[in-house]
Amino acid sequence: MNENSHKYDDIIHLPHPTSKKHPRMSAWNRAAQFSPFAALTGHGEAIRETERLTDTFTELLEDQKAQLDEQLQLLREHLSFRPSVEITFFQPDDKKSGGSYLTVQGQVKKLDDDNRRILFADGTTVALEQICAIQSELF
């Protein structure tokens, strides 16, 4: 043990070496090297996405489908008046199974049978297959 204690006696009292090319690092920057970091980048976002709840699409009964068909026919007949409606529809989720029920209000501009959707005057579109309910002054 005594042998090891005198091993560095020749250099122990020399000044700390400093680089002539690089400036000395500040204590703040030196401490930042040892600070914690996010080893799992995006992990928190993935957890939040998993926690986010979605609704399941409820298939309409036959009488509900018939009622919607009648309401769509009335809308078709009154398109020139740009009827004001409130439509509740199911919006499928882009990232996971299920989706959410949304409600939009506005004036109907067009019933696009080719693409099976309703176009509103403000540019909003709703797929006919996703409609759950329609409210209007017409019915």
Side-chain angles (χ1 to χ4, degrees), residues 18-136:
T18 57
S19 172
K20 293 178 183 176
K21 293 181 181 178
H22 303 289
R24 193 165 173 90
M25 185 181 285
S26 71
W28 177 263
N29 288 340
R30 184 160 173 74
Q33 289 181 345
F34 303 101
S35 66
F37 64 98
L40 300 173
T41 311
H43 182 66
E45 185 178 319
I47 289 174
R48 283 188 295 281
E49 178 62 27
T50 303
E51 290 174 339
R52 189 173 56 86
L53 299 176
T54 57
D55 294 322
T56 55
F57 180 69
T58 304
E59 190 71 33
L60 297 176
L61 300 173
E62 290 303 318
D63 59 333
Q64 292 171 317
K65 288 179 184 179
Q67 182 182 8
L68 277 178
D69 286 341
E70 289 174 18
Q71 291 172 334
L72 288 171
Q73 186 58 39
L74 273 173
L75 281 177
R76 234 181 230 100
E77 293 169 4
H78 293 88
L79 272 179
S80 60
F81 301 114
R82 294 231 174 161
S84 183
V85 297
E86 179 179 288
I87 295 180
T88 302
F89 65 101
F90 184 78
Q91 178 70 49
D93 195 286
D94 292 335
K95 296 183 179 181
K96 59 195 310 187
S97 65
S100 58
Y101 284 94
L102 304 173
T103 300
V104 294
Q105 293 178 327
Q107 291 182 315
V108 176
K109 179 179 178 181
K110 180 180 177 182
L111 282 170
D112 185 356
D113 291 321
D114 294 336
N115 295 315
R116 307 262 316 132
R117 61 186 182 164
I118 293 179
L119 289 105
F120 286 85
D122 66 357
T124 305
T125 61
V126 176
L128 293 178
E129 301 83 35
Q130 305 300 340
I131 295 175
C132 304
I134 302 175
Q135 300 294 321
S136 176

